[in-house]
Amino acid sequence: MKTGTFFAQDQAGNMQQIRIIRDVSAHDGDSEETRHAVSFVLEDGSPLRRIDNETFQVIDTGAFITLVRP
């Protein structure tokens, strides 16, 4: 499993750290092909749904957050 982080901002201007979790150990049945399952969570563990390249939705609250580029 590999992880990474980046920052996003909600509509109120609050910065949120997002963790990217990549599970590269998942296999598709008997095939040799490895699946790369990716999930996104806030620093408090709240799961996110990716809407597009720059927008995520907090599943628990429905709030939207936007990627912040350095």
Side-chain angles (χ1 to χ4, degrees):
M1 183 178 337
K2 296 180 181 180
T3 61
T5 60
F6 60 91
F7 289 91
Q9 189 173 29
D10 63 17
Q11 291 179 334
N14 301 315
M15 296 291 287
Q16 303 284 332
Q17 185 176 23
I18 296 177
R19 288 187 308 156
I20 307 166
I21 302 171
R22 292 180 183 93
D23 184 0
V24 294
S25 63
H27 293 282
D28 185 16
D30 294 330
S31 74
E32 296 295 322
E33 186 175 319
T34 301
R35 286 187 165 178
H36 297 276
V38 178
S39 58
F40 302 93
V41 294
L42 289 176
E43 56 192 325
D44 68 0
S46 299
L48 300 173
R49 175 181 299 126
R50 187 175 187 167
I51 304 300
D52 59 30
N53 286 341
E54 298 195 4
T55 310
F56 296 84
Q57 183 178 27
V58 181
I59 293 174
D60 297 339
T61 64
F64 289 97
I65 56 177
T66 305
L67 178 69
V68 174
R69 300 214 184 259

